[in-house]
Amino acid sequence: MPKKIILDCDPGHDDAVAIMLAIASDDIDLLGITCVGGNATLENTKLNALKICSLLNRKDIPIYAGSDKPLIYDLVTAEHVHGKSGLDTDGEPINLDPSHRIEEMSAIDFIINECKNAEEPIYLCPTGPLTNIALCLQKDPSIKDKIKEIVLMGGAALCLGNITPAAEFNIYVDPHAANVVFNSGIEITMMGLDVTHKVNVNDEIINSIKTNNNKASVFFADLMEFYSRFHRELYETGDCPLHDPCVIAYLIDNEIFKGRKVHVQVEENSDLTRGETVVDWLGVKKLNPNCNVITEADSTRFFKILKKELAKLN
Ligand code: BDR
Ligand code: CA
């Protein structure tokens, strides 16, 4: 049976790849895409989600808009990585089908309704700041029982932060929301920078996927060429971490990844370490583990799946 998921995202180049992978895979039943302000403003992230689904000819996938700002802080965007639109490329601009529109219901109500009406618990897959998910849990805590697992991209447990020395972008943007999620008691798997920096694209992989020669794979190459530029400069290598699709790949084949259940808490206030995911590896606080922190990945297996799945799309 395919896993029923809601992808809560802020597209975003790597979010776009996560969307494509979720649409392509027969192991995933994508109930809807919900957008949040993050890499770009909500106006742009929802427009980008529409564009991606238009390009794939998948107007049937409902897209909802959630929160345009974090619970408490002002929104911080990542134009330096994703460009002004949140999805800049050097390639052909995507033509948006004007009949493809954002749903009227809010992302928060959509997630709550889907959980409540689900026969079997569903998966929530956040690949942006956790604001929408926290708002759902605050509005209707009873949905917890209908969430099988939250598999999220965010945090950094062993390695360096990417927006500050201490913090990963998604958790930094809304640390209060992150704590609502980590403290919810729901099963959580965290794909942080520790693992996503082991799933790197480079020219060889981009060119190999491009040889699929369909729209989605050429779009993937366009996206990666723009997105790699920032990472190549920062990390001074030809490798570029492909963060968000790790969430979907985990649901397709969890044997690609390895991690450990530990207790995680997020720093909310400090100027220096806001958004740091503080992981109690040694269990010194004797708290119950609340999160499966993934640290290892088999990237060859990951890219084999990605290439095969993208080939199935438009
Ligand atoms: C995360 O931040 C965003 O820029 C990416 O889309 C990813 O979700 C990586 O830190
Ligand atoms: Ca993202």
Side-chain angles (χ1 to χ4, degrees), residues 14-15 39 82 127 153 162 168-170 243-244:
D14 52 336
D15 302 81
N39 283 325
H82 301 273
T127 61
M153 190 283 137
N162 62 359
E168 179 281 329
F169 177 77
N170 291 337
H243 311 286
D244 294 340

Side-chain angles (χ1 to χ4, degrees), residues 8 35-38 66-73 75 108 111 126 128-138 170-171 173-178 180-181:
D8 183 63
C35 298
V36 66
S67 186
D68 60 356
K69 59 176 180 46
L71 295 186
I72 293 177
Y73 288 129
L75 179 64
I108 314 306
I111 295 172
L130 290 161
T131 322
N132 286 349
I133 309 297
L135 288 171
C136 292
L137 294 172
Q138 286 174 337
N170 291 337
I171 305 294
V173 173
D174 200 343
H176 301 93
V180 171
V181 172

Side-chain angles (χ1 to χ4, degrees), residues 92-120:
E92 290 291 306
I94 307 167
N95 288 322
L96 177 59
D97 178 340
S99 67
H100 194 188
R101 301 232 168 84
I102 292 287
E103 303 290 324
E104 273 178 21
M105 186 188 283
S106 81
I108 314 306
D109 289 337
F110 168 70
I111 295 172
I112 291 174
N113 284 353
E114 286 297 310
C115 289
K116 290 192 117 155
N117 297 330
E119 276 167 29
E120 295 293 325

Side-chain angles (χ1 to χ4, degrees), residues 191-210:
M191 296 283 169
L193 298 178
D194 317 281
V195 62
T196 62
H197 276 258
K198 291 176 181 159
V199 179
N200 292 299
V201 273
N202 53 35
D203 282 340
E204 199 187 325
I205 294 171
I206 296 173
N207 290 331
S208 155
I209 292 185
K210 205 173 174 178

Side-chain angles (χ1 to χ4, degrees), residues 226-250:
F226 184 95
Y227 168 80
S228 300
R229 230 173 274 148
F230 160 81
H231 295 88
R232 285 184 180 152
E233 249 169 58
L234 181 66
Y235 299 109
E236 298 176 346
T237 79
D239 283 340
C240 166
L242 191 50
H243 311 286
D244 294 340
C246 289
V247 165
I248 306 299
Y250 178 79

